[in-house]
Amino acid sequence: MARERVIMHVDMDAFFAAIEQRDNPELRGRPVVVGADPKEGKGRGVVATCSYEARAYGIHSAMPISQAWRRCPEAAYVRPRGDVYAQVSRQVRAVLEEFTPQIEPVSIDEAFLDVTGTPGLSRGKRALAEAIARRIEEVTRLTASLGVAPNKMIAKIASDMDKPRGIVIVEPDEAQSFLRPLPTAKLWGVGEKTREILERLGIRTVGDLADFDQAGLVRRLGKHGEHLWNLARGRDQRPVEPPGEAKSVGNEHTFETDTDDLQQVEGTLMCLCEKVAGRLRAAGLRGRTVTTKVRFEDFTTLTRAKTADDMLDEETQIYAVAVRNLRRADIEGRKVRLVGVSVSGFEEGGEHQTSLFDRPAPGEAGDDEKRRRLAEAIDYIKGRYGDDALRRGGSMQGKDTGDESDG
Ligand code: TTP
Ligand code: MG
């Protein structure tokens, strides 16, 4: 049997709002809303996040700022300070690195850690989680919540169970009892649409899903059904992937106003493919997998991936796959907020070597040299397009992910 993995998910509490409260004592203990200017209720834009005091009024991330104002005009409304948050995010990252190099950052305030076999584990999972939370607080004067579990999905659900300052540990033999009572929407890959399909089948909880006949589920939901059934049984083998391991080059666009105009969405997708192709070529990269991402007005996000037979670096090739993905995403009649495309599955080794990975002529670049060139290319992309330009392949996975490859 494979060794039990110990996966941790670390997520900072009310991240932007907690930083504002830390830096301005007048805001402590008060409802604080970070986001757009409310303009006395006439403001446009949304809430980025809010303090736990503000959550008591029903305010939450992505809510229109005007609505937040109606719920709690007396809250402190603060504009975001992105550079400060990014700096704190780096500090948190550095703390996590004291414990393990196996870190997969997921967003500005959360990361997965694979702490299997790390020395810190010798005193137990809780002791290690507490040590990490304590160090984060020492260094940043901010609190975090942690989930510890045998896989990423359960760790992520666990970190959210007892916020703020929560440490929730799910032992492997508790995974089933932990998951079973949860609503299916807690599973990765269950967005609103899938949730409705499941509900029509009488499946409300993760336990209902785990008990459902697997073949029946596959008939109705295809490969996605099989995937969900496995998740419901607590099976999630995805590794913690430190950046630099699974890379992709991607671009996305948020529409000024949400749109249900298919032509506009596809036209934008074409422009994005041109950008991505340009960047791939600039970096001498070619990839096989094209992922298309769509976010709807309600913020549910869908990704569709397809692996092509050939290595791609041209816009027309990439677009051909990307638009097929889009059509599979079944967006008709829904308002789209954001569309994105990324290419991953870069060639390494094998017969398809070119450019960066070219086998060097005798006496030329060796493995180290190749790695250095790749790093340079990545730096170049980052320098030119920002850190977001290069993201791990997995970071494009949103809710309702329906990845498949049939290339
Ligand atoms: P979250 O971890 O989702 O939220 P949070 O840290 O504010 O609160 P919680 O204690 O529940 O974890 O997101 C991290 C930060 O990302 C958040 O502080 C602000 C930003 N953010 C947005 O700007 N817009 C959004 O829609 C969300 C969800 C987050
Ligand atoms: Mg958080």
Side-chain angles (χ1 to χ4, degrees), residues 7-29:
I7 309 295
M8 238 182 230
H9 182 258
V10 179
D11 189 313
M12 302 297 290
D13 299 325
F15 190 51
F16 296 0
I19 294 174
E20 296 306 329
Q21 289 180 319
R22 176 193 74 176
D23 294 350
N24 181 356
E26 286 176 14
L27 299 180
R28 292 183 199 158

Side-chain angles (χ1 to χ4, degrees), residues 66-226:
S66 53
Q67 199 177 327
W69 176 269
R70 279 199 300 280
R71 285 170 187 253
C72 185
E74 64 276 20
Y77 287 84
V78 186
R79 293 306 84 66
R81 295 183 296 153
D83 46 341
V84 176
Y85 310 150
Q87 197 198 340
V88 178
S89 179
R90 284 192 291 273
Q91 286 179 317
V92 174
R93 192 81 44 86
V95 168
L96 300 179
E97 280 165 0
E98 294 172 12
F99 294 87
T100 175
Q102 292 301 313
I103 301 169
E104 177 181 330
V106 184
S107 75
I108 191 161
D109 87 324
E110 64 183 300
F112 286 106
L113 276 58
D114 187 339
V115 295
T116 314
T118 56
L121 212 48
S122 59
R123 290 188 301 118
K125 293 169 191 166
R126 182 162 296 275
L128 177 59
E130 283 170 357
I132 293 175
R134 209 166 34 241
R135 270 300 283 161
I136 291 175
E137 194 163 353
E138 260 169 32
V139 171
T140 66
R141 291 188 291 125
L142 298 165
T143 66
S145 294
L146 287 80
V148 188
N151 64 48
K152 284 165 82 171
M153 183 189 70
I154 299 176
K156 181 159 166 96
I157 296 171
S159 74
D160 198 42
M161 293 292 273
D162 195 24
K163 269 181 166 289
R165 267 184 207 276
I167 293 180
V168 175
I169 299 182
V170 182
E171 296 292 349
D173 61 358
E174 300 165 348
Q176 268 304 296
S177 54
F178 175 81
L179 288 173
R180 289 187 65 89
L182 301 175
T184 55
K186 283 272 180 188
L187 295 181
W188 282 355
V190 179
E192 191 47 35
K193 206 171 128 195
T194 306
R195 198 193 61 76
E196 278 170 17
I197 296 173
L198 293 174
E199 196 160 307
R200 278 201 293 278
L201 297 172
I203 301 171
R204 286 202 170 74
T205 65
V206 176
D208 296 339
L209 183 57
D211 293 340
F212 203 84
D213 164 51
Q214 191 197 11
L217 210 59
V218 171
R219 266 200 308 280
R220 284 160 178 107
L221 286 164
K223 237 178 124 176
H224 191 44
E226 184 184 341

Side-chain angles (χ1 to χ4, degrees), residues 242-312:
E245 287 186 12
K247 278 286 194 298
S248 67
V249 172
N251 269 83
E252 49 189 53
H253 176 79
T254 305
F255 294 103
E256 293 264 307
T257 46
D258 302 343
T259 177
D260 55 7
D261 178 349
L262 219 55
Q263 267 187 348
Q264 187 186 5
V265 177
E266 291 186 1
T268 304
L269 188 63
M270 180 69 213
C271 294
L272 293 171
C273 289
E274 282 170 15
K275 283 189 198 167
V276 169
R279 287 168 43 205
L280 285 171
R281 286 192 298 268
L285 292 168
R286 295 196 299 168
R288 209 187 269 280
T289 302
V290 179
T291 304
T292 306
K293 167 175 165 180
V294 187
R295 178 167 295 145
F296 298 101
E297 57 181 339
D298 61 0
F299 274 79
T300 52
T301 306
L302 231 134
T303 64
R304 291 287 179 271
K306 170 133 179 84
T307 300
D309 292 332
D310 302 313
M311 284 293 169
L312 312 175

